[in-house]
Amino acid sequence: MQISPAGGGDSQSHPGKEQQAAGVGILLQIMMLVLSFVLGHVLRRHRFYYLPEASASLLIGLIVGALANISNTETSIRAWFNFHEEFFFLFLLPPIIFQSGFSLSPKPFFSNFGAIVTFSILGTFIASVVTGVLVYLGGLIYLTYRLPFVECLMFGALISATDPVTVLSIFQELGIDTNLYALVFGESVLNDAMAISLYRTMSSLKSHAPGQNFFMVVFRFLETFVGSLSAGVGVGFISALISFSAGLDIDNLQNLECCLFVLFPYFSYMLAEGLGLTGIVSILFTGIVMKHYTYSNLSENSQRFVSAFFHLISSLAETFVFIYMGFDIAMEQHSWSHVGFIFFSIIFIGVARAANVFSCAYLVNLARPAPRQIPVKHQKALWYIGLRGAMAFALALQSVHDLPEGHGQTIFTATTAIVVLTVLLIGGSTGTVLETLQVVGDDHDGPLSESLDGNNGYVAPSYNEDATSGNRLKMKLKEFHKSTASFTALDRNYLTPFFTSQNGDEEEEHGKIDYHQNVT
């Protein structure tokens, strides 16, 4: 983080003033973090759903930035918050993304694995392309600021990254159906990986010769996504094998196993970046694998520590990101001359989100029997709560340097405005919309963990070999879901016993208990 003195040119001659300015700047940031956490706790305690914690953090940043603009300390405060996008990707996003993968518990999420993959991979691709094409067409007919087609696809990729942190806490408070929670959370986790891979692919296409064919674009995407995924999964399995082989589940080795558990995610991130891949995607899948395998090899004290540690740093990082976004809106010089680009982009994003959710839900329901299909009201809820957050903001910040001629600044301004509007307006109205859609209380008045083994909704779809049930597409989708069930059996019978000190049944039961701890 680049902390600058208040006096600009006097910094070299007055190092004492530079240190004082840095101290005041850090103090201000700490005060805003403290205020955000206290205010969030008060709002949550009083069940005030119209102002979620993320929205409160945004408003605090907006207020501080507005006060700085009307005071004589504007230049100093802007200097205190001046940092490059590397700060996001190296210090803020890794703990947030790792915690997302680490929070995935096997039972509810892998029971809906086929649907989650469909929404996060295929759905994100659909949303990115639809958004990019609509923005490009809008520029052609002078509805919006005109951008080249590849840059429109870059914008579509980065703005398709959803971040439902604002609504997940509301889900838990209102008793939303476990499956809907799993779909929203699972989609947001994997969709970040897809969005950043698409953005990097389009950015690479932009920087190279424009004559590349479609197959080269597909190859670059697969190279980035699959390579990063493989690096993350590989590091996760290595950490599990080391912890299992070394027998680290001994109380007097708690310091060693905790240090190794904390270092492996950053090792995964830096390995992927060093190989020219995507560290965010790598650390995400490292978190998923380490939670499922490595975590079981730790002692009970170490399990409690690493869970609390990653939850702590991810909460601090995410809160700081939302504070900075609010502060940035009030302080920085944005391209507000292109308000039409922001307005129509919001409309295009809504259309793209609808194409994503309803088309993917249709495909998922083709492979599921009627009692276990995704209800229409859940589809509407999925469409509405597609908020944008930290990942979209960080990629937009990077686009300022990736795109010339002020195009990146226009995209950054639009993205920041969209994030703020979706978090404040959609996040604040989520509770009311869920009640209107009558999805509140779908959890049958029980906590999320109690319904993990139940047959509510569409957990763990079962498939009947009915010869009259379908066409080839439906049969292919059923085969895909069967392969998911086969992977679950492979994991329970071979992977879990090999990489952990538990058998599959013990691991599943432990996952249910830990999931309840995560959501509460």
Side-chain angles (χ1 to χ4, degrees):
M1 186 171 183
Q2 296 181 332
I3 301 178
S4 305
D10 296 334
S11 60
Q12 302 298 328
S13 57
H14 299 88
K17 290 184 177 181
E18 178 180 358
Q19 184 176 1
Q20 182 183 14
V24 173
I26 294 174
L27 175 63
L28 178 63
Q29 296 163 20
I30 293 175
M31 289 174 60
M32 288 192 290
L33 283 170
V34 170
L35 180 59
S36 296
F37 282 112
V38 172
L39 181 58
H41 171 73
V42 172
L43 294 171
R44 187 169 60 251
R45 183 176 181 181
H46 290 83
R47 298 177 179 270
F48 188 77
Y49 302 130
Y50 297 103
L51 187 65
E53 297 174 61
S55 302
S57 301
L58 268 173
L59 288 178
I60 289 173
L62 279 168
I63 293 171
V64 173
L67 291 176
N69 266 327
I70 61 176
S71 69
N72 295 325
T73 58
E74 176 184 349
T75 303
S76 303
I77 295 181
R78 181 182 287 115
W80 298 335
F81 278 81
N82 180 31
F83 54 85
H84 295 297
E85 71 275 5
E86 285 83 359
F87 182 75
F88 273 89
F89 284 98
L90 293 178
F91 295 100
L92 295 181
L93 284 182
I96 296 174
I97 300 300
F98 178 81
Q99 177 64 18
S100 297
F102 189 71
S103 298
L104 288 177
S105 295
K107 184 64 178 179
F109 298 101
F110 287 110
S111 295
N112 292 281
F113 183 74
I116 290 173
V117 169
T118 303
F119 280 105
S120 58
I121 304 300
L122 177 61
T124 303
F125 177 79
I126 293 173
S128 300
V129 173
V130 171
T131 302
V133 170
L134 290 178
V135 170
Y136 180 72
L137 294 177
L140 289 180
I141 61 177
Y142 303 104
L143 278 179
T144 66
Y145 180 69
R146 185 170 181 176
L147 294 173
F149 183 64
V150 175
E151 295 181 11
C152 291
L153 292 178
M154 292 174 65
F155 175 67
L158 69 88
I159 207 63
S160 296
T162 59
D163 184 6
V165 63
T166 303
V167 301
L168 289 180
S169 59
I170 299 177
F171 274 28
Q172 296 162 17
E173 294 289 338
L174 296 179
I176 300 300
D177 180 78
T178 307
N179 303 280
L180 180 58
Y181 183 97
L183 286 179
V184 173
F185 190 22
E187 180 206 0
S188 69
V189 170
L190 296 182
N191 126 298
D192 283 347
M194 183 69 176
I196 193 172
S197 297
L198 285 172
Y199 177 85
R200 293 285 178 88
T201 302
M202 294 299 106
S203 179
S204 174
L205 183 64
K206 170 74 177 177
S207 60
H208 290 77
Q212 299 185 76
N213 58 35
F214 173 77
F215 296 102
M216 285 300 300
V217 174
V218 173
F219 174 78
R220 287 186 180 277
F221 168 75
L222 292 177
E223 180 185 33
T224 302
F225 184 80
V226 178
S228 302
L229 184 153
S230 301
V233 171
V235 171
F237 277 125
I238 290 173
S239 70
L241 194 59
I242 290 177
S243 62
F244 176 63
S245 301
L248 295 180
D249 56 338
I250 303 175
D251 289 337
N252 60 3
L253 293 179
Q254 179 180 350
N255 184 60
L256 172 61
E257 61 184 5
C258 289
C259 289
L260 291 177
F261 197 93
V262 171
L263 289 175
F264 269 111
Y266 282 93
F267 174 78
S268 170
Y269 182 90
M270 295 303 173
L271 174 65
E273 291 293 328
L275 294 175
L277 303 172
T278 304
I280 295 298
V281 178
S282 179
I283 199 173
L284 167 64
F285 287 97
T286 298
I288 295 174
V289 174
M290 290 185 68
K291 175 59 181 289
H292 196 45
Y293 299 105
T294 313
Y295 184 78
S296 302
N297 297 327
L298 304 181
S299 62
E300 291 185 4
N301 290 335
S302 297
Q303 288 180 350
R304 287 192 293 268
F305 171 79
V306 297
S307 295
F309 174 77
F310 282 110
H311 185 269
L312 169 66
I313 60 175
S314 65
S315 297
L316 287 170
E318 198 149 38
T319 302
F320 184 84
V321 168
F322 282 107
I323 290 175
Y324 177 76
M325 281 190 285
F327 183 88
D328 179 84
I329 279 286
M331 293 290 294
E332 295 296 329
Q333 300 297 322
H334 289 278
S335 302
W336 297 116
S337 58
H338 305 299
V339 178
F341 183 82
I342 300 174
F343 174 77
F344 285 103
S345 292
I346 294 175
I347 297 176
F348 296 156
I349 290 168
V351 174
R353 179 69 180 171
N356 168 0
V357 171
F358 296 111
S359 62
C360 290
Y362 173 77
L363 292 176
V364 171
N365 286 341
L366 279 179
R368 292 184 168 184
R372 302 182 184 277
Q373 293 183 354
I374 303 176
V376 175
K377 60 182 181 180
H378 286 189
Q379 298 178 34
K380 294 178 180 179
L382 282 169
W383 171 78
Y384 186 78
I385 60 180
L387 308 181
R388 271 59 181 178
M391 179 59 70
F393 180 79
L395 290 175
L397 187 63
Q398 182 175 329
S399 72
V400 175
H401 302 279
D402 292 342
L403 301 178
E405 302 173 358
H407 293 176
Q409 187 63 46
T410 300
I411 289 177
F412 178 61
T413 299
T415 302
T416 306
I418 290 168
V419 170
V420 171
L421 290 174
T422 56
V423 170
L424 291 178
L425 299 181
I426 298 180
S429 61
T430 295
T432 303
V433 172
L434 293 178
E435 291 176 351
T436 303
L437 292 174
Q438 298 180 345
V439 297
V440 174
D442 277 0
D443 202 32
H444 300 276
D445 300 323
L448 289 172
S449 60
E450 291 179 2
S451 63
L452 294 180
D453 285 324
N455 290 327
N456 307 333
Y458 41 95
V459 163
S462 62
Y463 304 99
N464 300 319
E465 294 298 328
D466 184 2
T468 65
S469 62
N471 49 42
R472 293 184 178 181
L473 176 60
K474 182 180 291 188
M475 297 304 297
K476 290 292 183 182
L477 291 172
K478 287 188 176 184
E479 290 298 326
F480 174 76
H481 284 287
K482 285 183 179 180
S483 67
T484 302
S486 300
F487 172 78
T488 303
L490 174 67
D491 171 61
R492 182 176 62 253
N493 296 328
Y494 298 101
L495 296 180
T496 296
F498 184 79
F499 287 103
T500 72
S501 55
Q502 308 184 61
N503 60 40
D505 296 333
E506 291 174 341
E507 172 71 9
E508 183 175 299
E509 181 66 26
H510 179 78
K512 293 195 295 181
I513 296 174
D514 194 74
Y515 174 75
H516 175 64
Q517 294 174 346
N518 282 333
V519 300
T520 55

